[in-house]
Amino acid sequence: NAGVMQNPRHLVRRRGQEARLRCSPMKGHSHVYWYRQLPEEGLKFMVYLQKENIIDESGMPKERFSAEFPKEGPSILRIQQVVRGDSAAYFCASSDHLETQYFGPGTRLLVL
Amino acid sequence: SQKIEQNSEALNIQEGKTATLTCNYTNYSPAYLQWYRQDPGRGPVFLLLIRENEKEKRKERLKVTFDTTLKQSLFHITASQPADSATYLCALRVDGGSQGNLIFGKGTKLSVKP
């Protein structure tokens, strides 16, 4: 049973470009969460999705950031017009209920 | 405001000793608390979950306690090994909060010396 998969593992973007991060949850999991981890900081919740629905986006910046979890395919975290402060590790987690979350390996975004 | 604190950023111990990590929280009423392990360049790995009505939970060399009066959880690794070296994170889900929204501490980096 494959774990949570994220791609790309590393992403380099120049300021102003768009970043798309993908997350495939564990098989059978219908809950997906995105977290951001800055250097020397803890994991910060961004958004919680179920299939085709955003349940909680209270941790996501209001501008430039969006997330989706379509009926088919992976969940996507999209960052438009990236700035240097967006450089971080972005982790996706999935669960089949509301307790234990299983994390992917993360995508490390570097904005030049 | 709500806060989660892990008592130290780093903890160095000798192989074979028991490592004890602390997680304190304020202004929360958590339904349960979880501990994760994170290795450099990797995602967190779930270790243990303890509910508000449980005092203690064990798994192999790991033990977690949860004191809702003190608002504190202790995480113990007995007979520690160099392979236990990692960052350990505590996380809470809050009753009434977003379903599934976990709040994480910054972590304690454990180094076990041979």
Side-chain angles (χ1 to χ4, degrees):
Chain A
N1 184 15
V4 177
M5 299 177 69
Q6 290 187 249
N7 67 81
R9 294 291 306 276
H10 299 273
L11 182 61
V12 180
R13 285 286 178 266
R14 296 192 180 279
R15 281 179 297 168
Q17 291 185 318
E18 178 180 287
R20 279 188 179 231
L21 287 62
R22 294 174 185 77
C23 169
S24 295
M26 286 179 70
K27 188 176 181 181
H29 286 190
S30 59
H31 305 266
V32 166
Y33 318 83
W34 286 93
Y35 294 83
R36 177 164 64 177
Q37 189 173 41
L38 292 165
E40 309 305 324
E41 294 287 327
L43 283 159
K44 301 293 185 189
F45 167 78
M46 298 181 72
V47 61
Y48 162 41
L49 310 102
Q50 292 183 27
K51 283 287 187 182
E52 299 185 276
N53 289 305
I54 296 175
I55 307 301
D56 182 354
E57 56 183 349
S58 60
M60 201 150 70
K62 295 285 187 283
E63 297 179 353
R64 302 188 298 106
F65 286 72
S66 62
E68 62 177 13
F69 188 15
K71 188 176 181 182
E72 301 291 338
S75 175
I76 306 285
L77 179 68
R78 183 180 174 206
I79 311 172
Q80 295 178 289
Q81 299 175 332
V82 295
V83 300
R84 288 214 173 106
D86 297 332
S87 296
Y90 291 83
F91 291 97
C92 165
S94 73
S95 71
D96 60 355
H97 51 70
L98 297 176
E99 292 186 349
T100 304
Q101 296 183 13
Y102 296 88
F103 283 80
T107 294
R108 276 138 192 91
L109 172 66
L110 175 63
V111 179
L112 301 177
Chain B
S1 62
Q2 298 173 331
K3 284 174 63 176
I4 300 177
E5 288 184 343
Q6 294 190 239
N7 64 322
S8 56
E9 290 187 10
L11 179 65
N12 299 310
I13 64 168
Q14 206 65 34
E15 183 176 7
K17 302 291 187 185
T18 295
T20 299
L21 286 64
T22 305
C23 178
N24 295 292
Y25 59 93
T26 57
N27 300 325
Y28 281 123
S29 295
Y32 54 77
L33 184 145
Q34 303 185 36
W35 284 88
Y36 287 79
R37 168 181 173 144
Q38 187 173 23
D39 290 280
R42 301 199 160 203
V45 175
F46 170 76
L47 296 175
L48 281 168
L49 178 152
I50 186 165
R51 302 179 193 283
E52 59 181 339
N53 61 350
E54 297 176 316
K55 294 295 183 188
E56 181 179 299
K57 182 105 31 115
R58 290 175 185 263
K59 179 183 175 183
E60 297 173 352
R61 294 184 295 112
L62 308 180
K63 184 178 85 171
V64 173
T65 62
F66 193 13
D67 189 327
T68 55
T69 301
L70 290 178
K71 295 186 183 294
Q72 181 181 80
S73 174
L74 298 179
F75 177 80
H76 306 273
I77 306 175
T78 58
S80 60
Q81 304 166 1
D84 296 325
S85 298
T87 296
Y88 292 86
L89 309 171
C90 69
L92 299 174
R93 184 177 80 83
V94 180
D95 262 345
S98 166
Q99 294 291 306
N101 179 1
L102 288 178
I103 313 296
F104 281 86
K106 288 187 179 180
T108 296
K109 185 176 181 180
L110 174 68
S111 295
V112 180
K113 305 295 183 188

